[in-house]
Amino acid sequence: MPTITVYDAMAQALAEEMRRDARVLMFGEGVATKRPELVGEFGSARIRNTPLAEGIIAGTAVGAAATGLRPIVDLLFAPFLCYAMDELVNSAGKLRYLSGGQFEFPLVAISMTGAGWAVGSQHNHNVEAWFAHAPGLKVVMPSNAADYKGLLKSAIRDDNPVLFFVDIGLLYQPGEVPGGESLVPLGRAAIARPGHDVTLVSYAKTVAVCLQAAEALAATGIAAEVIDLRTIKPLDEATVLASARRTGRVVVVHEASRTCGVGAEVAALVAEQAFDHLKAPVRRVTGPDVPPPASYPLEQAFVPGVDAVAAAAKALVRKPH
Amino acid sequence: MPTITVYDAMAQALAEEMRRDARVLMFGEGVATKRPELVGEFGSARIRNTPLAEGIIAGTAVGAAATGLRPIVDLLFAPFLCYAMDELVNSAGKLRYLSGGQFEFPLVAISMTGAGWAVGSQHNHNVEAWFAHAPGLKVVMPSNAADYKGLLKSAIRDDNPVLFFVDIGLLYQPGEVPGGESLVPLGRAAIARPGHDVTLVSYAKTVAVCLQAAEALAATGIAAEVIDLRTIKPLDEATVLASARRTGRVVVVHEASRTCGVGAEVAALVAEQAFDHLKAPVRRVTGPDVPPPASYPLEQAFVPGVDAVAAAAKALVRKPH
Amino acid sequence: MSPFSSPALPSAAVPSIEHPEDLLEAMLLIRAYELRLSELSAQSGTPGTCTAVGQEAAAVGVLSALRAEDLILTNHRSAGHLLARGADPGRMMAEVMGRRDGYCKGKSGSLHISVRELGVVLTSTIVGGELSLATGVALSQTLLGRPGIVACFFGDGAAGEGIFHESLNLAAVWKLPILYVCENNEWQAFVHRRETMVGERIADRAAPYGIASATVDGNDVEAVRDAARSATAAIRDNGRPFLLELATYRQRGHFEPDDQTYVDAAELAAWKARDPIERMKARLAAKDGFTTGDFAGLQARVAARIDAAAAFAQASPWPDPAELLTDVYA
Amino acid sequence: MSPFSSPALPSAAVPSIEHPEDLLEAMLLIRAYELRLSELSAQSGTPGTCTAVGQEAAAVGVLSALRAEDLILTNHRSAGHLLARGADPGRMMAEVMGRRDGYCKGKSGSLHISVRELGVVLTSTIVGGELSLATGVALSQTLLGRPGIVACFFGDGAAGEGIFHESLNLAAVWKLPILYVCENNEWQAFVHRRETMVGERIADRAAPYGIASATVDGNDVEAVRDAARSATAAIRDNGRPFLLELATYRQRGHFEPDDQTYVDAAELAAWKARDPIERMKARLAAKDGFTTGDFAGLQARVAARIDAAAAFAQASPWPDPAELLTDVYA
Ligand SMILES: Cc1ncc(C[n+]2csc(CCOP(=O)(O)OP(=O)(O)O)c2C)c(N)n1
Ligand SMILES: Cc1ncc(C[n+]2csc(CCOP(=O)(O)OP(=O)(O)O)c2C)c(N)n1
Ligand SMILES: [Mg+2]
Ligand SMILES: [Mg+2]
């Protein structure tokens, strides 16, 4: 399998889907400047720069999606989604329902987030939980190049609005990407590493943290299973619950702030549906409830580390019950 | 104690705080039209109508708060907050931190939400969890007239940005409101009804649902404790956990959609911190993950009902462990 | 490019409003529909609505200038646009009442009624929502090679939302065939327009974006139709957006019931004296020999339709409770 | 009303930029500061920055027309505004590097540096953020009876965000004393301004709101200062907002390092030939007998300050890890 970066994996997905379906188009601030190869192949009607105005970029995507196109919009950094909340939440997420099912909204809104560039919380703010909480949307946040490609392709083919989050810490990470269609379905988690003593549930950059923690735990005789959610909504409850029931111990790990984050949802799910199998409390290891700072060491400290994850898992396994 | 509606309780809070502190002012779409008595007493500089533009209403409040005023803004219905997300989340919530503590943001953003007016999900959408998930904000959502008054006063005196949610289903409900200052501190939950068999945790209109469920449960010999969170952020973890440890059984109830809602946070908290005391799974009884519909019976069906809450509690109490 | 044929819009027959009497009858139908709903909501459990009483000439004048292939976006104050486009008042009332036979199965209520089969798409009650969506609808028309232009109705208040500015600018830069129709009715819920802007005209905001505009008497249905005809002709010709401002007045409250205590009585009276229906009626009488009897005939026809509509809506069942969970995802 | 004295802003001394040589030196300091950071970020672990090389006349010209009591809002491309206001380049560099002695304790980095003691408040890197906040700052000035006006810097790109429109409209309706300063530098990150609007001038967008405006050569520091002086005089006199557009050009990339492959070489060369520093230098030589030696003296002084600043910043420790959790709530 060829090894390419997440950025290139996404570029492949975009080109392949645009080739496959002439209704697919992409626009956003600098999209055409940054992807001249796509402009070359598909023309400037389908790859467009826009004015600097996230609201109308998103709104245009919503209107176009409802009337026959399949737009992809690049909204750059996740905090800028704040300017597009009405269009994404009140229009894309609700107008199908409010119209009694008259419209479909096949659109993808891409944005970047997460620690790595030391740019501070007006560029780095993990808000995926907002869109999981809002109705009518799907939310994807992959952890590796193959999934970035396979999930982006599935997102483009989906008939619903999909928020596609790119962890900037992963953007230039290489990974093996299979050739061919290599679709990854929405709503299906992956078992990134099997194990039977404790389950580490995560997504995006902290999947690697969990894998390293699992490696460290293995050295102490603890077999940790690592689940990569990949899609946050719809959440693959079955995979999470099956693992939780098997191991009886769950640590949820993510970079986003703790309160009402995706970790809260996973923990609540496990506490509700796998309670009888639990041998220990469900732990969350997450970013703190503060704005991510710019200063590099503080930014790094924001992200859950290998030691913290391993320690949380160890404490659960050691806990007598 | 005089009995007044939530609307009037809030009006008292506004008038008292404006009288107390000349830096307090209020603006929004129709604020001056709807509150002529405040215009009469405090003048048109301090009670202002605005153009129809939520972004600049919120942004103006943020800028004013940082430089010496203590603004209150009425943003009408919660879905309209989507137009003010940047100002509330990226500015009010983050600029203190990003500036290294140079500024304070004493502002209150009021908005209405919840079933009751059959107006559909572009007016009725419970998004309090979004603001609990975002850093630097406080979130309040009371359940009765006395708390609306006491918490609004505290919110106005707080030196931080406070999202103050008004459940429209409660707006014209009367309640006893004590005279005098009658401040209710932010961050403190109330035990609305004591009990020892099961804890029902809720806020806003579903507190009454829980109280009715508790009444019904009492008739079957089950003593339910009802906790009214009142403030969603900061969450009164101590009160919730003490009750959970005492009863060993927790049902979280709210109208907002389930995924990544406040109920997820409370359930996760309990599953993490009170695990050893739990006798049964933590249950959530919430609104579904769909946009609230307009049609009256469907809108009512969206809200957790007394029967569903009582049934969930009963199932936990009956569960052998 | 247009190798893909997406479902044609609209798919149902759209009535043409041709003759002066048609204009009058269409306005009468809207008036009767809205007054009936106002009465119903004052008495019983029927939900309130945002009426556009006094603004009928705006809806009818513009709709009479559109073609069947054109698409329409509207907002909370949409009944006139829908009825002039040929929507069934019975299904509209059923929707307002939250009943199963409503155009949106009762899920919308009055505030966001879309009728895809008539090309009335994506109605939003978020002020400015329609402005945010119109550009995308027009982009579809252009890229999919469909002939119709897009008419987007909004209020003077919506022109205060930033998205208005973003929409106009993008439409200008991308050359999108949009007729922006601002019904400047002097009110923004409970705030008078004068409190929200310096100057009088929303249309002035078009020029900086390189967009042509016009303001006309929005209470003169023929003037509106003529202005809309020349605006749509320009759009069809050059593919660029146009902003048409209709100067009119909201004669009733923001949302029924509304006591209008905040309204200046003299201003209201002056505008009632310029009522669009009365004006058209007088013009017809003067020019075309339209008699009191003719008028009574129109009114009777309209009243019968509204009676039937109300009966239909009231007989329509509530949605099945299972409907709460459907239509979320495609 | 102003019974409450809130903490005075600014509280530190603000330098006055009076003489032609001061204007030149202030521009040289900005240029040297930004080039030094560009070099550092190209080599090592120093974070990138958004430079305003080529735009120094805009910052210096406007700041030289402001008074100490005036407040300033700026954005991601703020170094010029801060330095011209008298900010310490050492503390600025420390902030860029995320160090403890930065103006914001390293939490901001380069993109949102505020310096309250100099009246540079609420810097936001959300494009349009400063526009959303300026109205509130101006409202405080007005209601608390403080004398200063508010200067709000933003780019041509920010004028595409809806909040620009909302801000201008509210400032006009509420009569807020704001000098809106648009640095039209022809670029919006990687998109040329021409791709984002029809027409050339952002200033044209002011008139519909009843706001006065002017466009001047933003690469002529004296022209900028003169225009800013008359604009601020008008604002101080009538209490109303004014939009001043400065036509300039971003000579370097959007964010260091940036290879500028997307930039038209001829356009860039034409603007470099109009470099504001070279122009002021030539003017001083022609009019005031300013010599090469005089210039070298200024440059040496500036270089020494920047050397010291870089040394200070590099010596500044990282923040204590506990700082991650502080400054969230008041
Ligand atoms: C974003 C948003 N803000 C506020 C409202 C509440 N609201 C509904 S209609 C309305 C007035 C709209 O005024 P205008 O745009 O002039 O339209 P009109 O109602 O006069 O037809 C308001 C404030 C809303 N629905 N959406
Ligand atoms: C809301 C938002 N969208 C996009 C960005 C990314 N971004 C940062 S600066 C910039 C260009 C801004 O252009 P302009 O306003 O002209 O200012 P300039 O950078 O030219 O000074 C962009 C797109 C951002 N920071 N915020
Ligand atoms: Mg209006
Ligand atoms: Mg620019």
Side-chain angles (χ1 to χ4, degrees), chain A residues 22 25 46 48-49 51 53 55-56 59-60 62-64 67 69 86-87 90 95-103 105 136-137 160 233, chain C residues 1 4 103-105 107-108 114-116 122-123 126 132-133 135-136 140 143-144 146 163 166-167 170 174 324 326-330:
Chain A
L25 78 168
R46 289 177 64 197
R48 295 169 174 241
N49 282 338
I56 200 65
T60 301
V62 178
T67 52
L69 296 172
D86 171 60
E87 293 75 13
N90 290 326
L95 286 181
R96 175 173 178 75
Y97 189 88
L98 285 172
S99 71
Q102 293 182 70
F103 304 96
F105 296 92
L137 305 172
N160 297 287
K233 195 177 189 180
Chain C
M1 110 175 179
F4 288 83
Y103 274 111
C104 309
K105 307 181 186 169
K107 291 181 178 181
S108 159
S114 294
V115 185
R116 186 190 169 101
L122 300 178
T123 308
I126 298 293
S132 77
L133 301 165
T135 43
S140 285
L143 292 187
L144 296 170
R146 290 192 298 230
I163 195 70
E166 297 184 9
S167 183
L170 190 72
W174 284 5
L324 176 63
T326 62
D327 296 324
V328 181
Y329 290 104

Coordinates of all heavy atoms in Angstrom, one line a residue, chain A residues 22 25 46 48-49 51 53 55-56 59-60 62-64 67 69 86-87 90 95-103 105 136-137 160 233, chain C residues 1 4 103-105 107-108 114-116 122-123 126 132-133 135-136 140 143-144 146 163 166-167 170 174 324 326-330:
Chain A
A22 N -20.4 14.6 -11.3 CA -20.3 16.0 -11.8 C -21.0 17.0 -10.9 O -20.9 18.2 -11.0 CB -20.7 16.1 -13.2
L25 N -19.0 19.7 -6.1 CA -18.1 20.9 -6.3 C -17.6 21.3 -4.9 O -18.1 20.9 -3.9 CB -18.9 22.0 -7.0 CG -19.9 22.8 -6.2 CD1 -20.3 24.1 -7.0 CD2 -21.1 22.0 -5.8
R46 N -16.2 24.5 -10.6 CA -16.4 23.5 -9.6 C -15.4 23.6 -8.4 O -15.6 22.9 -7.4 CB -16.4 22.1 -10.2 CG -17.7 21.8 -11.1 CD -17.6 20.4 -11.7 NE -17.6 19.4 -10.8 CZ -17.2 18.1 -11.1 NH1 -16.8 17.8 -12.3 NH2 -17.2 17.2 -10.2
R48 N -13.9 26.7 -6.3 CA -14.0 28.1 -6.3 C -13.5 28.8 -5.0 O -13.7 28.3 -3.9 CB -15.5 28.5 -6.3 CG -16.2 28.1 -7.6 CD -17.7 28.2 -7.4 NE -18.4 28.0 -8.6 CZ -19.2 28.9 -9.3 NH1 -19.4 30.1 -8.7 NH2 -19.7 28.7 -10.4
N49 N -12.8 29.9 -5.2 CA -12.5 30.7 -4.1 C -13.8 31.5 -3.8 O -14.6 31.7 -4.6 CB -11.4 31.7 -4.4 CG -10.0 31.1 -4.4 OD1 -9.8 30.1 -3.7 ND2 -9.0 31.7 -5.0
P51 N -15.5 35.0 -1.3 CA -15.2 36.0 -0.3 C -15.0 35.5 1.1 O -15.4 34.3 1.3 CB -16.5 36.9 -0.4 CG -17.1 36.6 -1.7 CD -16.8 35.1 -1.9
A53 N -16.4 35.0 4.1 CA -17.7 35.1 4.7 C -18.3 33.7 4.9 O -18.9 33.2 4.1 CB -18.6 35.9 3.8
G55 N -20.6 32.5 6.8 CA -22.0 32.3 6.8 C -22.6 32.0 5.4 O -23.3 31.1 5.2
I56 N -22.2 32.8 4.4 CA -22.7 32.6 3.1 C -22.1 31.4 2.4 O -22.7 30.8 1.6 CB -22.7 33.9 2.3 CG1 -23.7 33.8 1.1 CG2 -21.3 34.2 1.7 CD1 -25.1 33.8 1.5
G59 N -24.2 28.7 3.9 CA -25.6 28.8 3.4 C -25.7 28.5 1.9 O -26.6 27.8 1.5
T60 N -24.7 28.9 1.2 CA -24.7 28.6 -0.3 C -24.7 27.1 -0.4 O -25.3 26.5 -1.3 CB -23.6 29.3 -1.0 OG1 -23.7 30.7 -0.8 CG2 -23.6 29.0 -2.5
V62 N -25.8 24.8 1.6 CA -27.0 24.3 2.0 C -28.1 24.4 0.9 O -28.8 23.5 0.6 CB -27.5 24.9 3.4 CG1 -28.9 24.3 3.8 CG2 -26.5 24.7 4.5
G63 N -28.2 25.6 0.4 CA -29.1 25.9 -0.7 C -28.8 25.1 -1.9 O -29.8 24.5 -2.5
A64 N -27.6 24.9 -2.2 CA -27.2 24.2 -3.4 C -27.5 22.7 -3.2 O -27.9 22.0 -4.1 CB -25.7 24.4 -3.7
T67 N -31.0 21.6 -3.8 CA -31.5 21.7 -5.1 C -30.7 21.1 -6.2 O -30.8 21.4 -7.4 CB -31.7 23.2 -5.4 OG1 -30.5 23.9 -5.2 CG2 -32.8 23.8 -4.6
L69 N -27.1 20.0 -6.2 CA -25.6 19.9 -6.2 C -25.2 19.1 -5.0 O -26.0 18.8 -4.1 CB -25.0 21.3 -6.3 CG -25.3 22.0 -7.6 CD1 -24.7 23.5 -7.4 CD2 -24.6 21.4 -8.8
D86 N -25.7 29.2 12.1 CA -27.1 29.3 11.6 C -27.3 28.4 10.4 O -28.3 27.6 10.4 CB -27.5 30.7 11.3 CG -28.9 30.7 10.7 OD1 -29.9 30.2 11.3 OD2 -29.0 31.1 9.5
E87 N -26.5 28.5 9.5 CA -26.6 27.8 8.2 C -26.5 26.3 8.4 O -27.2 25.5 7.9 CB -25.6 28.3 7.2 CG -25.9 29.7 6.8 CD -25.5 30.8 7.8 OE1 -24.8 30.5 8.8 OE2 -25.9 32.0 7.6
N90 N -29.4 25.5 12.0 CA -30.8 25.8 11.8 C -31.3 25.5 10.4 O -32.5 25.2 10.2 CB -31.0 27.3 12.0 CG -30.9 27.7 13.5 OD1 -31.2 26.9 14.4 ND2 -30.4 28.9 13.8
L95 N -34.0 21.8 8.2 CA -35.0 22.1 7.2 C -35.6 20.9 6.5 O -36.7 20.9 5.9 CB -34.4 23.1 6.2 CG -34.4 24.6 6.7 CD1 -33.8 25.5 5.6 CD2 -35.7 25.1 7.2
R96 N -34.8 19.8 6.6 CA -35.4 18.5 6.1 C -36.6 18.2 7.0 O -37.8 18.0 6.5 CB -34.4 17.4 6.1 CG -35.0 16.1 5.7 CD -34.0 15.0 5.6 NE -34.7 13.7 5.2 CZ -35.2 13.4 4.1 NH1 -35.1 14.3 3.1 NH2 -35.8 12.3 3.9
Y97 N -36.4 18.2 8.2 CA -37.5 17.9 9.2 C -38.6 18.9 9.1 O -39.8 18.5 9.0 CB -36.8 17.8 10.6 CG -37.7 17.3 11.7 CD1 -37.8 15.9 11.9 CD2 -38.5 18.1 12.4 CE1 -38.6 15.4 12.9 CE2 -39.4 17.6 13.4 CZ -39.4 16.2 13.7 OH -40.2 15.7 14.6
L98 N -38.3 20.1 9.2 CA -39.4 21.1 9.2 C -40.2 21.2 8.0 O -41.3 21.6 8.0 CB -38.7 22.5 9.5 CG -38.3 22.8 10.9 CD1 -37.5 24.1 11.0 CD2 -39.5 22.8 11.9
S99 N -39.6 20.7 6.9 CA -40.3 20.7 5.6 C -41.1 19.3 5.4 O -41.6 19.1 4.4 CB -39.4 20.9 4.4 OG -38.6 19.8 4.3
G100 N -41.0 18.5 6.5 CA -41.7 17.2 6.3 C -41.0 16.3 5.4 O -41.6 15.5 4.7
G101 N -39.7 16.4 5.2 CA -38.9 15.5 4.4 C -38.8 15.9 2.9 O -38.5 15.1 2.1
Q102 N -39.1 17.1 2.6 CA -39.1 17.5 1.2 C -37.7 17.7 0.6 O -37.6 17.6 -0.6 CB -39.9 18.9 1.0 CG -41.4 18.8 1.3 CD -42.1 20.1 1.0 OE1 -42.2 20.5 -0.1 NE2 -42.5 20.8 2.1
F103 N -36.7 17.9 1.4 CA -35.4 18.2 0.9 C -34.3 17.3 1.5 O -34.5 16.8 2.6 CB -35.0 19.6 1.2 CG -36.0 20.6 0.6 CD1 -37.0 21.1 1.4 CD2 -36.0 20.9 -0.7 CE1 -38.0 22.0 0.9 CE2 -37.0 21.8 -1.2 CZ -38.0 22.3 -0.4
F105 N -30.0 17.1 2.0 CA -28.8 18.1 2.1 C -27.5 17.4 2.0 O -26.8 17.2 3.0 CB -29.0 18.9 3.4 CG -30.2 19.7 3.4 CD1 -31.4 19.3 4.0 CD2 -30.2 21.0 2.9 CE1 -32.5 20.1 4.0 CE2 -31.3 21.8 2.9 CZ -32.5 21.3 3.5
G136 N -29.9 16.2 13.1 CA -29.9 16.2 11.6 C -28.5 16.3 11.0 O -28.5 16.3 9.7
L137 N -27.5 16.3 11.7 CA -26.1 16.4 11.2 C -25.4 15.1 11.4 O -25.7 14.3 12.4 CB -25.4 17.5 11.8 CG -26.0 18.9 11.8 CD1 -25.3 19.9 12.6 CD2 -26.2 19.4 10.3
N160 N -26.8 13.4 3.5 CA -27.0 14.3 4.7 C -25.8 15.2 4.9 O -24.7 14.9 4.4 CB -27.2 13.4 5.9 CG -28.5 12.5 5.8 OD1 -29.6 13.0 5.8 ND2 -28.2 11.2 5.5
K233 N -21.1 11.0 15.0 CA -22.5 10.8 14.9 C -22.8 10.4 13.5 O -22.4 11.1 12.6 CB -23.2 12.2 15.2 CG -24.7 12.0 15.4 CD -25.3 13.3 15.8 CE -26.8 13.1 16.2 NZ -27.4 14.4 16.6
Chain C
M1 N -22.0 22.9 -17.9 CA -22.1 21.5 -17.4 C -23.6 21.2 -17.0 O -24.2 22.0 -16.3 CB -21.2 21.3 -16.3 CG -21.8 21.2 -14.9 SD -20.7 20.9 -13.6 CE -22.0 20.8 -12.3
F4 N -26.2 15.9 -15.3 CA -27.1 15.2 -14.3 C -28.4 16.0 -14.3 O -28.4 17.2 -14.1 CB -26.5 15.2 -12.9 CG -25.3 14.3 -12.8 CD1 -24.1 14.6 -13.2 CD2 -25.5 13.0 -12.3 CE1 -23.0 13.7 -13.2 CE2 -24.5 12.1 -12.3 CZ -23.2 12.5 -12.7
Y103 N -48.6 21.0 4.3 CA -47.6 20.8 3.3 C -46.3 20.2 3.9 O -45.5 19.5 3.2 CB -47.2 22.1 2.7 CG -48.1 22.5 1.5 CD1 -49.0 23.5 1.6 CD2 -48.1 21.7 0.3 CE1 -49.8 23.9 0.5 CE2 -48.9 22.1 -0.8 CZ -49.8 23.1 -0.7 OH -50.5 23.4 -1.7
C104 N -46.1 20.3 5.2 CA -44.9 19.8 5.8 C -45.3 18.8 6.9 O -44.6 18.6 7.9 CB -44.0 20.9 6.4 SG -43.7 22.2 5.2
K105 N -46.4 18.2 6.7 CA -46.9 17.2 7.7 C -47.2 17.7 9.1 O -47.2 17.0 10.0 CB -46.0 16.0 7.8 CG -45.5 15.4 6.4 CD -44.6 14.2 6.7 CE -44.0 13.6 5.4 NZ -42.9 12.7 5.7
K107 N -45.1 19.5 10.7 CA -43.9 19.7 11.5 C -43.4 21.2 11.4 O -42.7 21.6 12.3 CB -42.8 18.8 10.9 CG -43.1 17.3 11.2 CD -42.0 16.4 10.7 CE -42.4 15.0 11.1 NZ -41.4 14.0 10.6
S108 N -43.8 21.9 10.4 CA -43.3 23.3 10.2 C -44.2 24.2 11.1 O -43.7 25.1 11.7 CB -43.4 23.7 8.8 OG -43.4 25.1 8.7
S114 N -42.6 25.2 3.3 CA -42.0 25.1 1.9 C -43.0 24.2 1.1 O -43.6 23.3 1.7 CB -40.7 24.3 2.0 OG -39.7 25.1 2.6
V115 N -43.0 24.5 -0.2 CA -43.8 23.6 -1.1 C -43.0 23.3 -2.3 O -43.0 24.1 -3.3 CB -45.2 24.3 -1.5 CG1 -46.0 23.3 -2.3 CG2 -45.9 24.7 -0.3
R116 N -42.2 22.3 -2.2 CA -41.2 22.0 -3.2 C -41.9 21.9 -4.6 O -41.3 22.3 -5.6 CB -40.6 20.6 -2.8 CG -39.4 20.3 -3.8 CD -39.0 18.8 -3.5 NE -38.1 18.5 -4.5 CZ -36.7 18.4 -4.5 NH1 -36.2 18.8 -3.3 NH2 -36.0 18.1 -5.5
L122 N -37.1 25.8 0.8 CA -36.3 26.1 2.0 C -36.7 27.3 2.8 O -35.9 28.1 3.2 CB -34.9 26.4 1.4 CG -34.2 25.2 0.7 CD1 -32.8 25.6 0.3 CD2 -34.1 24.0 1.7
T123 N -38.0 27.5 3.0 CA -38.5 28.6 3.8 C -37.9 28.5 5.2 O -37.9 27.5 5.8 CB -40.0 28.5 3.9 OG1 -40.5 28.5 2.6 CG2 -40.6 29.7 4.6
I126 N -35.7 31.9 10.5 CA -34.5 32.6 11.0 C -34.4 33.9 10.1 O -34.3 33.7 8.9 CB -33.3 31.8 10.9 CG1 -33.3 30.5 11.7 CG2 -32.0 32.6 11.2 CD1 -33.4 30.8 13.2
S132 N -29.4 33.5 3.2 CA -28.2 32.7 3.2 C -28.3 31.5 2.2 O -27.3 30.9 1.8 CB -28.0 32.2 4.6 OG -28.9 31.1 5.0
L133 N -29.5 31.1 1.9 CA -29.8 29.9 1.1 C -30.0 30.2 -0.4 O -29.7 29.4 -1.2 CB -31.0 29.2 1.6 CG -30.9 28.8 3.1 CD1 -32.2 28.4 3.7 CD2 -29.9 27.6 3.3
T135 N -28.4 32.0 -2.5 CA -27.2 31.9 -3.4 C -27.0 30.5 -3.8 O -26.6 30.3 -5.0 CB -26.0 32.5 -2.7 OG1 -26.0 32.0 -1.3 CG2 -26.0 34.0 -2.6
G136 N -27.2 29.6 -2.9 CA -26.9 28.2 -3.3 C -28.0 27.7 -4.3 O -27.7 26.9 -5.2
S140 N -27.2 26.3 -8.1 CA -27.8 25.1 -8.7 C -28.4 25.4 -10.0 O -28.2 24.6 -11.0 CB -28.8 24.4 -7.8 OG -28.2 23.8 -6.7
L143 N -25.5 26.0 -12.5 CA -24.6 24.9 -12.8 C -25.3 23.7 -13.4 O -24.7 23.0 -14.2 CB -23.8 24.5 -11.6 CG -22.7 25.5 -11.1 CD1 -21.9 24.9 -10.0 CD2 -21.8 26.0 -12.2
L144 N -26.5 23.6 -13.0 CA -27.3 22.4 -13.5 C -28.0 22.8 -14.8 O -28.8 22.0 -15.4 CB -28.2 21.9 -12.5 CG -27.6 21.3 -11.2 CD1 -28.6 21.0 -10.1 CD2 -26.8 20.0 -11.6
R146 N -30.5 24.8 -15.4 CA -31.9 25.0 -15.3 C -32.3 26.4 -15.6 O -31.5 27.4 -15.3 CB -32.5 24.6 -13.9 CG -32.3 23.1 -13.7 CD -33.1 22.6 -12.5 NE -32.6 23.2 -11.3 CZ -32.3 22.5 -10.2 NH1 -32.4 21.2 -10.1 NH2 -31.9 23.1 -9.1
I163 N -25.8 38.6 7.1 CA -25.9 37.6 6.0 C -26.5 38.3 4.8 O -26.3 37.8 3.7 CB -26.7 36.4 6.5 CG1 -26.5 35.2 5.5 CG2 -28.2 36.7 6.7 CD1 -25.2 34.6 5.6
E166 N -23.5 39.5 3.0 CA -22.7 38.4 2.4 C -23.4 37.8 1.2 O -22.8 37.4 0.2 CB -22.5 37.3 3.5 CG -21.7 37.8 4.7 CD -21.4 36.7 5.7 OE1 -21.7 35.5 5.4 OE2 -20.9 37.0 6.8
S167 N -24.8 37.7 1.3 CA -25.5 37.2 0.2 C -25.4 38.0 -1.0 O -25.1 37.6 -2.1 CB -27.0 37.0 0.6 OG -27.7 36.4 -0.4
L170 N -21.9 37.9 -2.6 CA -21.5 36.6 -3.3 C -22.3 36.6 -4.6 O -21.8 36.1 -5.6 CB -21.8 35.4 -2.4 CG -21.3 34.1 -3.1 CD1 -19.7 34.1 -3.0 CD2 -21.9 32.9 -2.4
W174 N -20.4 36.1 -8.0 CA -20.6 34.9 -8.8 C -21.6 35.0 -9.9 O -22.0 34.1 -10.5 CB -21.0 33.7 -7.8 CG -19.8 33.2 -7.1 CD1 -18.5 33.6 -7.1 CD2 -19.8 32.0 -6.2 NE1 -17.7 32.9 -6.3 CE2 -18.4 31.9 -5.8 CE3 -20.7 31.1 -5.8 CZ2 -18.1 30.8 -4.9 CZ3 -20.4 30.1 -4.9 CH2 -19.0 29.9 -4.5
L324 N -42.8 12.0 15.1 CA -41.8 12.8 15.9 C -40.4 12.4 15.4 O -39.5 13.3 15.3 CB -41.9 12.5 17.4 CG -40.9 13.2 18.3 CD1 -40.9 14.7 18.2 CD2 -41.1 12.8 19.7
T326 N -39.4 10.9 12.5 CA -39.1 10.7 11.0 C -38.6 12.0 10.4 O -38.7 13.0 10.9 CB -40.3 10.2 10.3 OG1 -41.3 11.2 10.4 CG2 -40.8 8.9 10.9
D327 N -38.1 11.8 9.2 CA -37.6 13.0 8.4 C -36.4 13.7 8.9 O -36.2 14.9 8.6 CB -38.8 14.0 8.2 CG -39.9 13.5 7.4 OD1 -39.7 12.7 6.5 OD2 -41.1 13.8 7.8
V328 N -35.7 13.0 9.8 CA -34.4 13.7 10.3 C -33.3 13.5 9.3 O -32.7 14.5 8.9 CB -34.1 13.1 11.7 CG1 -32.8 13.8 12.2 CG2 -35.2 13.2 12.6
Y329 N -33.1 12.3 8.9 CA -32.0 12.0 7.9 C -32.6 11.5 6.6 O -33.7 10.9 6.6 CB -31.0 11.0 8.5 CG -30.2 11.5 9.6 CD1 -30.4 11.2 10.9 CD2 -29.1 12.4 9.4 CE1 -29.7 11.6 12.0 CE2 -28.3 12.9 10.4 CZ -28.6 12.5 11.7 OH -27.9 13.0 12.7
A330 N -31.9 11.8 5.5 CA -32.4 11.2 4.2 C -32.0 9.7 4.2 O -31.0 9.3 4.8 CB -31.7 12.0 3.1

